[in-house]
């Protein structure tokens, strides 16, 4: 049993769903066009939307529960997640699965800042790093146990990996790589189109 934990300010880190990644990578497409593109890859569009909605519904449930208990709660996504937000809160609560938990933990550098994960889809995801699945529907119980000190902390060991290579760009996560890769493709395609369009109008020196 630990000492009571005072939680006045909570930072909730949101998972980026597959649907959100697709929307981000293809902002020029209408919903119907995006659906057609996703189906053309053999993906189940209804399942993708259902998963996205399930996560967002649970995310709202987490936020509303925290606020109902008088906790100042901020919601951040992966692109807004920064050191300043981490420093301003008492604890970080990733909502998603193990990937979201690892993202949250990667930015927390002191063992005095708790990272407490909620599995947003316990029926279809294990979430080994998150709280046990039954706590996904018992958020108030979790918060009360924190306030009462009816818990014990689990300290996890991190492994530091150093990459040495000839490339100057720092390593990035797979989701970010997909997003950045899409933008680079657009930029390269745009540059080629501009070049081909401009070539007939070039003037000889």
């Amino acid at each position: 049993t630990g000492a009571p934990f005072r939680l006045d300010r909570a930072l909730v880190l949101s998972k980026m769903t597959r649907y959100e990644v697709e929307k981000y990578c293809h902002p020029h497409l209408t919903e119907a066009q995006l659906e057609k593109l996703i189906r053309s890859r053999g993906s189940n569009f209804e399942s993708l939307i259902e998963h996205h909605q399930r996560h967002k519904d649970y995310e709202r449930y987490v936020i509303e529960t925290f606020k109902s208990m008088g906790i100042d709660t901020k919601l951040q996504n992966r692109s807004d997640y920064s050191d300043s937000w981490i420093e301003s809160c008492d604890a970080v609560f990733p909502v998603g699965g193990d990937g979201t938990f690892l993202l949250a933990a990667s930015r927390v550098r002191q063992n005095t800042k708790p990272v407490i994960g909620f599995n947003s889809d316990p029926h279809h995801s294990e979430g080994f790093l998150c709280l046990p699945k039954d706590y996904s529907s018992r958020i108030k119980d979790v918060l009360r146990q924190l306030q009462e000190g009816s818990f014990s902390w689990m300290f996890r060991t991190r492994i530091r990996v150093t990459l040495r290579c000839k490339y100057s760009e720092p390593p990035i996560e797979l989701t970010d790589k997909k997003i950045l890769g899409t933008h680079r493709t657009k930029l390269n395609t745009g540059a080629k189109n501009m070049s081909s369009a401009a070539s007939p109008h070039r003037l000889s020196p």
Side-chain angles (χ1 to χ4, degrees):
T1 303
F5 181 74
R6 181 168 179 173
L7 181 61
D8 296 321
R9 297 177 301 278
L11 176 60
V12 175
L13 180 63
S14 175
K15 168 184 177 176
M16 192 172 195
T17 66
R18 161 88 185 280
Y19 175 73
E20 289 175 311
V21 172
E22 296 289 357
K23 289 282 286 185
Y24 188 91
C25 292
H26 306 285
H28 60 289
L29 297 182
T30 65
E31 190 70 15
Q33 291 171 330
L34 182 64
E35 178 181 350
K36 184 177 180 180
L37 173 65
I38 292 172
R39 289 187 186 281
S40 70
R41 301 178 189 149
S43 297
N44 187 322
F45 185 74
E46 287 79 12
S47 177
L48 185 147
I49 293 297
E50 180 185 355
H51 175 78
H52 169 76
Q53 194 58 53
R54 187 185 304 124
H55 170 72
K56 289 303 175 183
D57 289 344
Y58 184 77
E59 188 179 272
R60 282 190 289 271
Y61 166 58
V62 171
I63 298 294
E64 291 170 0
T65 303
F66 274 53
K67 290 184 175 180
S68 71
M69 297 190 69
I71 300 170
D72 182 12
T73 308
K74 303 295 183 185
L75 175 66
Q76 294 292 303
N77 57 38
R78 66 186 300 118
S79 60
D80 296 328
Y81 188 50
S82 63
D83 292 343
S84 60
W85 285 106
I86 295 170
E87 292 171 3
S88 66
C89 72
D90 298 313
V92 180
F93 294 86
V95 175
D98 287 340
T100 310
F101 186 98
L102 289 171
L103 171 62
S106 69
R107 306 279 178 86
V108 178
R109 296 174 176 82
Q110 302 87 20
N111 63 6
T112 56
K113 184 81 63 174
V115 178
I116 305 169
F118 287 106
N119 188 340
S120 62
D121 193 5
H123 298 295
H124 300 87
S125 169
E126 290 300 327
F128 292 105
L129 299 175
C130 300
L131 291 173
K133 291 183 178 183
D134 61 309
Y135 279 114
S136 291
S137 59
R138 297 168 51 201
I139 298 176
K140 284 189 176 181
D141 288 343
V142 173
L143 299 178
R144 290 194 187 100
Q145 288 181 40
L146 283 172
Q147 294 169 345
E148 296 169 0
S150 303
F151 66 94
S152 58
W153 295 117
M154 176 183 290
F155 291 92
R156 298 183 182 274
T157 302
R158 302 186 189 188
I159 299 175
R160 176 175 293 176
V161 178
T162 302
L163 300 178
R164 299 182 183 277
C165 61
K166 62 182 179 180
Y167 301 105
S168 59
E169 294 185 2
I172 59 176
E173 298 170 39
L174 291 177
T175 302
D176 293 336
K177 180 176 178 61
K178 177 177 175 61
I179 293 172
L180 290 174
T182 301
H183 279 298
R184 286 172 182 161
T185 300
K186 290 177 183 175
L187 290 173
N188 291 337
T189 303
K192 290 177 182 177
N193 291 339
M194 289 174 63
S195 176
S196 61
S199 56
H201 303 287
R202 287 179 184 167
L203 298 177
S204 300

